[in-house]
Amino acid sequence: MTTRARTFPIQLDKAAVPRKTPRPATASEQAMLRPQRPVQEAALAARLQVAPSGLGLDSQGVRTRMVTRLRAGGLHCEPVLAAMAAVPRHLFVDTALAAQAYEDTSLPIGLSQTISKPSVVGLMISLLLAGRTAAARESLGKVLEIGTGCGYQAALLSVLGSQVYSIERLKPLHEKARELLAPLRRNNLRLIYGDGRLGHGPNAPYDSIIAAAGGEDIPAAWLDQLAVGGRLVAPMQAPGGRGQVLVIVDRTETQWHRSQHDAVHFVPLKSGTE
Ligand code: SAH
């Protein structure tokens, strides 16, 4: 029997050649530094029950490539990217359009409505997360979404929030979203048929409010139902007919602080139900 040397043959301080000015890791090095990411994404996808479509779109690879492009385009919010890597966007669009589901484009979902571009969905949700306190930045808390549409964004919100209430004013879309979301079994997501301009009083206040349709102004009910310390992100008509912009409202103890961001293009926020 041989006895093993007790000390490692190379002293670590001699082996490591210190760099004078460490340079920041490149994007591909950072990806290598987080080898657990693909495993986490795959686990989330498995939990979300991505069913085989026969189109090759159920493979993790297509979504991971979409996420790589979103990251290259400037989206760096990791929890949002992980959720987008897991939620199967192709299941929320018509089969004829499924091949385009992972392109950065908005797509028709019927009744003159559209599913928003992944980059805009990612930007809006990351703006919501950025408004959370450092301790709570991994979760959106209790969320209100106005404009369920086909339910894609609602699915993402349910991955990132503790409880999500999503309102849609068009009955056929509300029902379609219910059908599309059922296999994903998001127990913390409730779909509501109604006029989202009134918000949803029974479960207020909300830590995060997000709208997928834009009006002339931010409805008073949304401001009332936003929790103190909460954030609202919504498209709104810019003053002077200059198209739509994203508006952020942060509520503090004493005021609602409003700021304007990127130009966007959303469907109109309408009154009543149909
Ligand atoms: N988030 C959606 C995008 C839907 S498009 C997705 O991921 O697919 C915007 C939706 O807002 C449309 O379905 C439209 O019917 C709805 N909408 C417009 N005004 C509304 C209102 N007052 N209340 C609820 N939904 C509204």
Side-chain angles (χ1 to χ4, degrees):
M1 211 167 88
T2 54
T3 46
R4 291 186 139 219
R6 275 168 188 263
T7 50
F8 193 68
I10 304 168
Q11 285 175 20
L12 289 179
D13 57 341
K14 299 223 170 76
V17 182
R19 292 178 76 97
K20 282 207 185 90
T21 45
R23 64 171 168 78
T26 63
S28 64
E29 281 167 350
Q30 278 182 4
M32 283 166 67
L33 289 172
R34 296 196 202 99
Q36 74 280 28
R37 191 197 287 136
V39 178
Q40 288 166 348
E41 287 171 359
L44 198 48
R47 270 207 344 259
L48 291 173
Q49 303 218 325
V50 182
S53 64
L55 295 166
L57 294 169
D58 29 273
S59 93
Q60 187 58 48
V62 275
R63 274 186 300 286
T64 304
R65 280 194 290 282
M66 173 183 81
V67 162
T68 303
R69 287 194 299 272
L70 291 173
R71 195 179 274 122
L75 184 64
H76 296 299
C77 181
E78 291 302 328
V80 173
L81 290 167
M84 296 183 87
V87 174
R89 190 170 185 259
H90 68 281
L91 298 185
F92 292 88
V93 298
D94 199 86
T95 325
L97 299 169
Q100 294 171 60
Y102 297 102
E103 304 295 324
D104 192 25
T105 175
S106 54
L107 293 168
I109 52 173
L111 302 171
S112 313
Q113 307 302 322
T114 51
I115 177 173
S116 316
K117 265 163 100 146
S119 56
V120 172
V121 171
L123 169 69
M124 289 177 77
I125 303 180
S126 64
L127 286 171
L128 279 182
L129 268 184
R132 307 278 290 151
T133 60
R137 204 153 287 164
E138 294 279 308
S139 166
L140 294 169
K142 201 195 321 171
V143 186
L144 175 68
E145 180 191 38
I146 296 97
T148 315
C150 59
Y152 171 67
Q153 180 169 276
L156 291 172
L157 294 170
S158 77
V159 171
L160 294 161
S162 53
Q163 184 67 44
V164 180
Y165 299 88
S166 180
I167 314 180
E168 173 56 56
R169 66 179 287 278
L170 296 176
K171 190 80 179 261
L173 278 181
H174 165 74
E175 282 167 355
K176 184 172 174 180
R178 190 173 289 292
E179 216 173 277
L180 294 173
L181 285 160
L184 303 187
R185 295 207 190 93
R186 306 307 298 156
N187 296 329
N188 63 341
L189 169 60
R190 233 186 85 200
L191 301 182
I192 298 153
Y193 169 57
D195 181 357
R197 285 168 45 92
L198 308 173
H200 183 61
N203 297 97
Y206 303 96
D207 302 304
S208 303
I209 298 182
I210 183 166
E216 297 286 315
D217 205 349
I218 304 292
W222 301 358
L223 300 175
D224 281 349
Q225 293 173 20
L226 186 62
V228 170
R231 173 173 277 196
L232 176 158
V233 177
M236 200 191 99
Q237 206 60 46
R242 287 181 288 110
Q244 279 177 337
V245 284
L246 269 189
V247 170
I248 295 184
V249 180
D250 287 308
R251 182 170 184 181
T252 65
E253 291 282 352
T254 53
Q255 60 168 340
W256 287 261
H257 180 262
R258 206 185 262 227
S259 55
Q260 275 191 25
H261 291 258
D262 312 47
V264 283
H265 188 69
F266 278 85
V267 296
L269 180 72
K270 294 194 173 166
S271 306
T273 54
E274 283 173 42

